[in-house]
């Protein structure tokens, strides 16, 4: 086990990539601090992980869009969870897939508040403690959408370009400390992502992953483990990973 006695904080741990990271990091011996808005799902993840891996898990409802909630939660973490070794800024979403001049303003607000401000809020509160302890590791989950703007992706792609830029900004500002940053940019991963994007339309969401083999949450979690377990002098700044069947956002080898 490579992460024994470490503490990993994961946002968006109730589903998808965040949930996969919770299991993989626990498998490596890390204690966990898990956040999301759906506490029933968090609770079942936490209980299952505790019984399978014997690590300590703290979980709580936390909406990353609310700075006061984030600050209070981190300030009041129980003593045994208060030293965060690894921060995984994962909570995020796309909402809608339409031309920018037709888009729903509320969708924009929620994407910007979650993908950009939420990541900033968690980092602003957790990272000073990492700098003070002169050790820590930050994983920001970006996207292929941060490398490439695709039709109707407009604002979501903008938020993921931001994630890529702020990851670089963090790397620059943390230079000279032992706090490392890795930006992970996945292509198509089969999670609740598309169901959320299409506002609960399960059929439409399913269609996104048909006819080829998409990535799974576990594929991204394994990459996160690899990045988090390099020697102290090795910083993997960025990982861009797609399914083998995906060349670009729009070139996907669908056999159908
Ligand atoms: P899921 O929809 O499966 O999971 C998203 C997670 O984020 C859930 O746990 C959700 O929990 C949480 N979340 C959403 N809003 C908030 C909020 N305001 N506060 C706290 N938690 C929140 O999607 P993925 O696992 O696929 O997405 C995870 C990350 O990966 C996102 O940043 C996404 O942009 C990125 N990504 C996804 C790709 C894909 O193809 N799936 C590809 C590239 C990047 P809850 O609803 O309970 O709050
Ligand atoms: C999720 C992948 O291609 O839907 O970020 O933007 S994509």
């Amino acid at each position: 086990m490579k992460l024994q006695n470490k503490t990993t904080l994961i946002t968006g741990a109730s589903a998808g990539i965040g949930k996969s990271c919770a299991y993989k990091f626990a498998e490596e011996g890390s204690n966990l601090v898990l956040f999301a808005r759906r506490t029933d799902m968090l609770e079942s993840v936490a209980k299952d992980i505790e019984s399978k891996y014997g690590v300590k898990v703290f979980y709580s409802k936390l909406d990353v869009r609310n700075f006061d909630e984030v600050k209070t939660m981190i300030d009041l973490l129980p003593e045994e969870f208060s030293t965060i070794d690894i921060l995984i800024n994962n909570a995020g979403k796309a909402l809608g897939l339409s031309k920018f001049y037709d888009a729903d303003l509320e969708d924009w607000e929620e994407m910007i508040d979650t993908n950009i401000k939420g990541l900033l809020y968690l980092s602003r509160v957790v990272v000073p403690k990492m700098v003070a302890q002169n050790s820590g590791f930050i994983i920001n989950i970006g996207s292929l959408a941060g490398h490439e703007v695709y039709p109707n992706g407009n604002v979501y792609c903008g938020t993921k370009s931001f994630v890529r830029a702020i990851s670089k900004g963090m790397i620059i500002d943390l230079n000279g400390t032992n706090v490392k940053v890795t930006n992970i940019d996945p292509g198509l991963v089969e999670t609740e992502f598309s169901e959320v994007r299409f506002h609960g339309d399960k059929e439409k969401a399913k269609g996104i992953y048909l006819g080829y083999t998409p990535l799974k949450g576990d594929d991204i979690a394994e990459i996160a483990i690899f990045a988090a377990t390099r020697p102290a002098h090795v910083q993997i700044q960025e990982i861009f990973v797609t399914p083998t069947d995906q060349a670009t956002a729009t070139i996907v080898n669908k056999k159908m």
Side-chain angles (χ1 to χ4, degrees):
M1 289 200 286
K2 299 178 191 131
L3 295 171
Q4 216 154 18
N5 299 321
K6 300 283 184 197
T7 298
T8 303
L9 186 164
I10 305 171
T11 64
S14 60
I17 294 169
K19 179 175 163 181
S20 288
C21 285
Y23 277 86
K24 293 282 179 197
F25 278 72
E27 202 178 341
E28 292 298 340
S30 179
N31 298 317
L32 300 172
V33 175
L34 305 180
F35 295 132
R37 294 162 307 166
R38 289 170 293 177
T39 30
D40 50 337
M41 293 170 75
L42 269 186
E43 183 181 11
S44 76
V45 168
K47 291 210 161 126
D48 190 40
I49 285 178
E50 276 170 339
S51 74
K52 274 198 173 100
Y53 303 113
V55 298
K56 287 181 281 184
V57 183
F58 174 86
Y59 69 91
S60 178
K61 180 183 164 92
L62 179 71
D63 188 329
V64 298
R65 293 173 295 174
N66 184 324
F67 180 74
D68 291 340
E69 227 181 89
V70 169
K71 176 143 181 30
T72 306
M73 179 62 69
I74 300 300
D75 285 349
L76 297 180
L77 277 174
E79 176 66 26
E80 55 184 342
F81 294 97
S82 62
T83 302
I84 306 298
D85 300 292
I86 300 166
L87 166 64
I88 305 185
N89 280 312
N90 163 75
K93 66 189 57 184
L95 288 169
L97 189 64
S98 55
K99 291 198 184 292
F100 79 93
Y101 54 81
D102 278 336
D104 183 331
L105 226 68
E106 281 177 17
D107 285 352
W108 283 0
E109 305 285 4
E110 189 169 341
M111 283 190 279
I112 291 167
D113 288 351
T114 312
N115 303 1
I116 296 181
K117 291 190 187 172
L119 181 149
L120 286 175
Y121 291 165
L122 259 297
S123 305
R124 183 64 186 83
V125 175
V126 172
V127 179
K129 297 176 202 287
M130 291 180 168
V131 172
Q133 74 208 21
N134 199 26
S135 72
F137 181 53
I138 305 158
I139 295 180
N140 292 327
I141 304 293
S143 169
L144 167 149
H147 293 252
E148 188 189 338
V149 181
Y150 52 81
N152 302 318
N154 44 67
V155 170
Y156 177 67
C157 296
T159 66
K160 290 302 181 174
S161 297
F162 173 87
V163 173
R164 221 177 145 205
I166 198 67
S167 292
K168 193 69 194 188
M170 288 180 182
I171 289 168
I172 292 167
D173 289 353
L174 290 165
N175 185 247
T177 75
N178 290 323
V179 183
K180 305 196 285 186
V181 182
T182 298
N183 189 73
I184 302 182
D185 289 332
L188 290 153
V189 189
E190 188 168 11
T191 62
E192 292 181 3
F193 178 85
S194 293
E195 202 179 315
V196 172
R197 166 168 256 174
F198 299 128
H199 297 286
D201 186 335
K202 286 190 186 346
E203 278 313 298
K204 198 168 172 186
K206 219 159 80 186
I208 299 291
Y209 307 109
L210 289 180
Y212 69 103
T213 309
L215 296 171
K216 305 276 179 245
D218 282 359
D219 296 320
I220 307 307
E222 279 169 12
I223 287 167
I225 292 284
F226 179 78
T229 54
R230 292 311 85 208
H233 69 287
V234 178
Q235 172 171 238
I236 299 177
Q237 296 203 8
E238 187 169 53
I239 297 174
F240 181 15
V241 52
T242 63
T244 308
D245 278 326
Q246 181 174 32
T248 69
T250 51
I251 302 175
V252 181
N253 179 38
K254 287 199 169 200
K255 299 169 194 75
M256 53 192 286

